[in-house]
Amino acid sequence: MIRIHNSMGGAKEALQPLEPGRVGIYVCGDTVYDLAHMGHARSKIVFDVVRRYLMHSGYEVNFVRNITDIDDKIIRRAAEQQHPIKDFTEHYIAEMHRDYDALGILRPDHEPRATDYVQGMIDLTADLIAKGYAYVATNGDVMYGVAGFAAYGQLSGRRLADLRAGARVEIDEAKRDPLDFVLWKHSKPGEPAWPSPWGFGRPGWHIECSVMAEEFLGTRFDIHGGGLDLKFPHHENEIAQSCAASGDTFARLWMHNGFLTIDDEKMSKSLGNFFTVREALQVVRDPEVIRYFVLSSHYRGPINYSLEQLDQADAALTGIYTALRGRHSDERARASEYTRAFTAAMDDDFNTPLALAELKSLARALNFAHANGREEEAASLAAELRTLGGILGFLGVDAEAWLQKSKPAQALAAGSTATADAEIDELIARRLEARKRKDFGAADRIRDELAQAGVILEDVPGGATTWRRK
RNA sequence: GGCUAGGUGGCAGAAUGGUCAUGCAGCGGCCUGCAAAGCCGUCUAUGCCGGUUCGAUUCCGACCCUAGCCUCCA
C-alpha cells in the first residue's frame, strides 16, 4: 500500500488509481530557453524515482512530462541570439535530453511540446469563454476571471481576498481582477503567432498544461507533480481552467518537490545563483552521485547544493559499491528484512533517505557476513542490494570500475586517465617487486606517490593489490 | 502584511508519547610488514518558554529564527 502526501489538503493518502493497476502521472517539464540547472534536475530525479517505484510495485505507469517551447523568455532569447524560435528550442531540447539521459532519468512515455497542441488550447479557451469563465480584455488578450471559479485557491490554501491584499502584480487595466491570468495573448508584430478567433496570438503558460494533461490522461487522472514553485499560481490556474471547462476533478493527487538551495537560498535563474546540470556532472565521479545527493533528503523538504554535499553522497555510494566488490550480479536475491524495510520506507510517501539508510545497513550486513566467512549469505545480500539499488536507479556500474572512476574536472586537470591508468599498473607492479624483496621503504614511496595523485592502493589477501581513486 | 513549510549531535539526514535510524567526521580495538578497505566497540542532538501527561524531541499554545510563495521560475 503506497501512501502519498497530497498537496491538496496536506495529508498522506493511499494511492488508489482510477484504473486498478494503472497510474497516470503528469509532471510539469521545463521551458527550453537555457541549460537545465540542478533545481530542474532535482524535480526530474524525484519524479523519476516515483515512476520507477510505482513500476516496481507492479503498476503500469503512463508518465507524461511536457516541454514548454513557446513563451516570452524563449522569444526574447532567440531574438537576442538571432536564431529562429524553432532552431533555438530544438537546440535546448536536445541539450536537456543529453543532461537528463546522463542522470539516468527515464524518458517520459509522452513528452508533448506546447506548440503541437495550440489548437487544443484555442478550443479550451473558447470553451471557457462560452461557459462564462473567461473574457476578452480591452487589450485583446483573453483572460480567465478567477472570481468566477469558487474553488480558486484551494490547492495553495489561499483566499482571493488575501491574495489581492498582498498582490505585488501591477494593476493591469485590462484585467477585471488583478489575479486574472492570460489564456491567450495577442501577438505583436514579428512575434510567433497562431490564428485564433481572437486574432493572431499565442497561448498563455497555464493553459498548455491543462490541454496536454487532458490530451494524454483525460479530464481526471491520478497524479500531477512539479516543483513547489508551481503550486501557485501555475497549478492553481490549471485547476481553474480544467475543472471549470470539464466539470471533472482533474488531478486527484498533487505532489510538489521542495527547492534546491545554494547557501540556503533557492536556486533560480533570476537570482543567478544556479549551477547547471552540466557543471555538476563535471565534479562528480559518476552521475549516480547526483542522484544519491538528491535522494538523500526527502523530496518535499529543501536540499542544499554544495561540493561538500556531493562528496558526502560520493562517500556513501562508494561505501555501497565497495561492499559489492567482487560480487557478481547474476546471483539471486532473497528478499530479507532489508527489502521489507526498504519497501516500507518507499511506500510511506517515497521516504528515500530512509530507504537509502536501509541500503547502507544492507551493505554493512554484507560486509559483516563476508568478514565472518559466510560467503553464501554475502552473495545473497549483494544481489539483494543490487536489486534494491536498481529500483532507485542506482548501482548500474561495475563496482571496480566505479572505484577507479575519476571526476571529469580532475581528470581534465591531471591529463588523460588512460595514461594515468597505465602508469598506475606499472607502479603497482614495481611496488609488488619491492615488497617481495621486503624493501618496504621503496614500496611505501610508490604508495605515497600514488596517494599524492589521489590513487589509493589496497593489498588484498592473497598478494594482489587493487587500487581506487579517492 | 497574508499564507505555507521548517528549526534534531561536528556535518548531512530520518523517525518517534518512554530504549532517538543511517552515512561522513572523531576516539578505542581487531586485521595488516605498515597502510587501505572491512569488522567490532564508542562519544556528541531534538531553537526558546509555558501547558497536557506517570513521562514530550514527539501533542497543544506563545515567542524567536530560517526558507519559500503572494511576479517568470523545477
Side-chain angles (χ1 to χ4, degrees):
Chain A
M1 174 71 83
I2 295 174
R3 289 162 56 78
I4 300 177
H5 174 91
N6 190 353
S7 302
M8 180 77 85
K12 283 183 193 172
E13 297 177 13
L15 174 66
Q16 291 178 303
L18 287 163
E19 286 180 63
R22 305 184 62 174
V23 178
I25 306 182
Y26 185 92
V27 177
C28 291
D30 300 346
T31 300
V32 284
Y33 68 98
D34 204 347
L35 292 176
H37 66 58
M38 286 298 294
H40 299 112
R42 182 187 190 188
S43 182
K44 301 305 169 296
I45 290 170
V46 161
F47 288 104
D48 183 62
V49 166
V50 167
R51 178 190 188 185
R52 284 172 186 259
Y53 188 68
L54 291 176
M55 287 163 65
H56 165 78
S57 301
Y59 290 104
E60 187 186 318
V61 180
N62 188 11
F63 191 89
V64 183
R65 190 181 66 217
N66 73 291
I67 293 173
T68 296
D69 61 349
I70 183 68
D71 115 308
D72 290 355
K73 284 190 291 275
I74 291 173
I75 293 169
R76 200 182 65 233
R77 286 282 187 98
E80 280 168 12
Q81 300 178 17
Q82 299 189 318
H83 282 121
I85 302 264
K86 188 73 178 165
D87 293 356
F88 179 83
T89 54
E90 285 292 349
H91 170 74
Y92 280 112
I93 288 168
E95 297 292 324
M96 177 186 84
H97 282 147
R98 200 176 126 197
D99 285 338
Y100 293 166
D101 287 351
L103 291 174
I105 294 156
L106 301 173
R107 294 273 181 114
D109 295 306
H110 300 285
E111 194 173 46
R113 302 179 185 190
T115 54
D116 291 332
Y117 296 88
V118 173
Q119 188 54 51
M121 299 171 203
I122 292 171
D123 293 345
L124 180 56
T125 301
D127 192 22
L128 287 168
I129 293 174
K131 288 177 173 156
Y133 289 100
Y135 59 94
V136 180
T138 51
N139 65 359
D141 289 351
V142 181
M143 297 282 182
Y144 187 100
V146 295
F149 186 69
Y152 196 79
Q154 198 182 5
L155 176 67
S156 51
R158 289 154 211 258
R159 292 183 303 268
L160 281 173
D162 293 340
L163 286 166
R164 289 189 191 108
R168 282 188 271 159
V169 288
E170 295 165 43
I171 300 300
D172 185 339
E173 292 299 327
K175 292 181 181 179
R176 291 180 188 168
D177 188 302
L179 297 168
D180 289 352
F181 56 91
V182 178
L183 296 173
W184 186 261
K185 191 169 187 165
H186 73 279
S187 56
K188 300 189 188 88
E191 287 180 345
W194 287 259
S196 82
W198 319 284
F200 280 89
R202 62 178 182 274
W205 176 41
H206 314 296
I207 195 92
E208 296 176 10
C209 287
S210 281
V211 168
M212 290 186 274
E214 187 174 328
E215 175 74 23
F216 291 95
L217 299 170
T219 54
R220 182 190 304 190
F221 55 94
D222 300 303
I223 300 173
H224 191 131
L228 190 58
D229 44 1
L230 299 183
K231 194 172 179 183
F232 186 91
H234 184 55
H235 289 158
E236 201 72 73
N237 292 352
E238 279 186 54
I239 293 168
Q241 293 160 350
S242 294
C243 295
S246 68
D248 211 334
T249 48
F250 202 50
R252 303 171 83 209
L253 257 161
W254 289 85
M255 293 180 68
H256 293 98
N257 64 274
F259 295 126
L260 187 93
T261 59
I262 294 274
D263 297 330
D264 296 319
E265 282 196 325
K266 180 185 172 186
M267 179 184 287
S268 73
K269 294 249 167 98
S270 45
L271 287 174
N273 62 345
F274 62 90
F275 286 86
T276 61
V277 171
R278 209 146 293 180
E279 288 171 298
L281 286 169
Q282 288 301 305
V283 298
V284 294
R285 183 194 300 263
D286 184 277
E288 286 190 9
V289 172
I290 294 174
R291 176 174 287 256
Y292 195 99
F293 157 68
V294 167
L295 300 182
S296 65
S297 44
H298 189 82
Y299 76 89
R300 282 190 278 117
I303 183 170
N304 201 44
Y305 178 86
S306 70
L307 290 180
E308 290 72 27
Q309 291 287 77
L310 289 179
D311 283 344
Q312 282 213 15
D314 180 81
L317 202 42
T318 295
I320 291 173
Y321 271 110
T322 301
L324 288 172
R325 271 179 138 171
R327 304 283 162 192
H328 301 293
S329 52
D330 56 352
E331 290 155 337
R332 199 192 306 168
R334 196 176 60 243
S336 72
E337 61 194 286
Y338 295 102
T339 294
R340 280 199 301 281
F342 175 93
T343 305
M346 290 300 290
D347 281 352
D348 183 14
D349 196 28
F350 309 100
N351 191 337
T352 54
L354 190 53
L356 291 178
E358 291 304 327
L359 254 46
K360 287 179 279 194
S361 296
L362 179 45
R364 181 145 62 144
L366 194 175
N367 287 330
F368 181 77
H370 176 62
N372 289 282
R374 298 201 300 269
E375 292 309 320
E376 209 170 301
E377 182 187 345
S380 173
L381 290 170
E384 187 174 5
L385 181 52
R386 275 203 187 277
T387 300
L388 297 182
I391 293 167
L392 301 179
F394 287 120
L395 309 184
V397 182
D398 172 72
E400 209 64 43
W402 171 277
L403 294 166
Q404 298 188 349
K405 278 189 158 210
S406 56
K407 299 171 180 172
Q410 284 182 355
L412 212 64
S416 147
T417 50
T419 321
D421 287 7
E423 279 172 27
I424 291 165
D425 290 340
E426 168 65 24
L427 287 168
I428 287 175
R430 273 171 42 203
R431 176 168 171 273
L432 217 55
E433 287 300 314
R435 290 184 72 211
K436 275 184 189 158
R437 294 194 310 268
K438 302 275 184 201
D439 183 356
F440 294 120
D444 289 352
R445 275 194 297 279
I446 292 171
R447 188 168 62 195
D448 291 345
E449 188 186 324
L450 283 168
Q452 287 288 313
V455 173
I456 296 173
L457 300 189
E458 298 177 347
D459 299 325
V460 294
T465 297
T466 58
W467 64 274
R468 65 191 168 84
R469 281 203 168 82
K470 200 179 173 186

